[in-house]
Amino acid sequence: MTAELAAWVMVLAIAAYACAGGTDYGAGLWDLLAGGPERGRRPRWLIDHAMAPVWETNNVWLIFVLIVMWTGFPTMFQAVFTALWLPLALAAVGLVLRGAGFALRKPTHRLAGRRLYGAMFAVASLLTPFFLGAALGAIASGRVRTGTAASADAWANPTSVLTGLLAVAAAAFLGAVFLSCDARRFGADDLVAYFKVRALCAFAAVVVLALVALPVTHGDARYVWEGLTGGWGLALVVLSAVCGLATVLLLLRRSHGLPRWTAVAAVALTVCAWGVAQRPYLLPTSLTVAQGAGAPHTLRWLALVTVVAVVVVGPALVLLYRLDTMGELQPLTDADTGAAGAPGDDC
């Protein structure tokens, strides 16, 4: 595996996590905004049922990203985790709290416990994508270099903050689109329009933030800005915008299958556009792909592991996602987990 190919494997894995994990983060955000126990009961019911079969699986993509970065580009790995240890640590804590909150709130008998775990899940679903996006913004702005010490300026800057907000808005868009389709799948017709409206609002937020980011990145992340406004980077950005608009039109036309694909394409193409815009750098404008690559024999072993993962794990993931979107997978019920409890438990 050449260094260039390994870099693209990493970008594609980031795109996969942005889509799969982003959908889950978006669902958590709408859980946070669903309202009180009575008002938010139906949306949270749908979120639980839609996420339960696949939420743990989606983290596979993040693990794969870390493996490729660590083994294929150790210099980049060291620089990123040295300069950005705080936002990445906060994102890791958010991942743990989010998973614990989602897993524990359903089997918990007491209402107070369910509220606590639900709050953990929802708040972490907001903060985790923000900190991950802020880390990407720090890299794109060129503030992360080999030997850069950790500092607030590395990730608390205009580009990082905007990228974090864009990550949250994109996750909200994906989550609402999928939940609108899932509402139809689960026969919750009252929630189809509920999440459709939220998908349209999230898309509007993405557009506004993208427009705000144009002048900000022009001065703060000039190299990546030039890559995104010309050549293949611009072509991918335009395709992403077309897919986003297609998602909106399909939702308005009450289509409930295709919007998932176009929404995923919009987010994935945006990540790929970022990868194209950074070429040939891993860390603009200080570390190229060739300079940051590991030893040739390490890249060969990485290629072998990647092929094995594609052959062994890939079909299983495709089957899982396919069965989930077809409604063949059913989450545990209250009777399965004992969550229903006895009268008087909810106090």
Side-chain angles (χ1 to χ4, degrees):
M1 178 182 289
T2 65
E4 182 78 13
L5 182 57
W8 276 112
V9 168
M10 183 168 62
V11 170
L12 292 176
I14 293 172
Y17 184 65
C19 295
T23 302
D24 285 351
Y25 291 132
L29 174 63
W30 296 122
D31 189 291
L32 178 65
L33 301 178
E38 185 58 32
R39 179 185 174 189
R41 181 178 60 85
R42 289 280 291 165
R44 292 190 178 101
W45 167 84
L46 178 63
I47 290 167
D48 281 345
H49 281 65
M51 283 184 57
V54 296
W55 71 274
E56 291 178 290
T57 306
N58 292 332
N59 289 325
V60 168
W61 299 110
L62 179 60
I63 296 170
F64 187 59
V65 170
L66 295 176
I67 290 173
V68 174
M69 187 190 300
W70 180 28
T71 56
F73 305 100
T75 304
M76 177 191 183
F77 185 90
Q78 181 185 27
V80 169
F81 277 81
T82 298
L84 303 174
W85 72 267
L86 181 56
L88 292 175
L90 292 173
V93 171
L95 278 170
V96 174
L97 294 178
R98 177 179 174 276
F102 184 75
L104 294 175
R105 75 171 176 177
K106 189 173 182 65
T108 299
H109 289 195
R110 295 185 178 276
L111 180 60
R114 290 189 180 187
R115 285 178 172 175
L116 173 62
Y117 292 128
M120 285 172 51
F121 163 66
V123 174
S125 295
L126 171 65
L127 297 180
T128 303
F130 174 81
F131 286 122
L132 291 175
L136 287 179
I139 294 171
S141 65
R143 287 179 169 83
V144 178
R145 298 172 177 265
T146 304
T148 299
S151 67
D153 179 66
W155 60 277
N157 57 77
T159 299
S160 292
V161 172
L162 275 172
T163 306
L165 292 175
L166 274 168
V168 172
F173 174 61
L174 280 172
V177 170
F178 272 68
L179 287 169
S180 179
C181 298
D182 287 331
R184 179 72 66 184
R185 175 160 60 93
F186 284 109
D189 294 338
D190 57 312
L191 295 177
V192 174
Y194 176 93
F195 282 109
K196 182 188 298 184
V197 171
R198 281 150 181 78
L200 298 178
C201 292
F203 181 74
V206 170
V207 172
V208 171
L209 288 170
L211 293 175
V212 172
L214 284 175
V216 172
T217 55
H218 179 269
D220 198 46
R222 187 59 179 267
Y223 186 86
V224 171
W225 182 87
E226 290 178 350
L228 290 173
T229 55
W232 284 107
L234 178 60
L236 291 174
V237 169
V238 172
L239 282 176
S240 174
V242 170
C243 289
L245 290 172
T247 304
V248 170
L249 293 176
L250 288 169
L251 287 174
L252 293 175
R253 292 174 61 88
R254 300 183 180 180
S255 174
H256 300 285
L258 289 177
R260 297 179 186 221
W261 296 100
T262 52
V264 165
V267 174
L269 288 168
T270 300
V271 175
C272 291
W274 162 70
V276 169
Q278 285 202 175
R279 293 182 65 192
Y281 292 102
L282 292 169
L283 302 175
T285 52
S286 60
L287 184 69
T288 66
V289 171
Q291 291 170 343
H297 68 276
T298 302
L299 292 177
R300 286 194 293 269
W301 278 106
L302 181 60
L304 177 61
V305 171
T306 300
V307 171
V308 171
V310 170
V311 173
V312 176
V313 182
L317 286 175
V318 171
L319 178 61
L320 176 65
Y321 289 138
R322 179 62 177 166
L323 291 175
D324 183 49
T325 56
M326 292 175 63
E328 298 294 331
L329 301 178
Q330 297 297 327
L332 295 176
T333 64
D334 286 346
D336 296 323
T337 62
D345 279 344
D346 292 342
C347 60

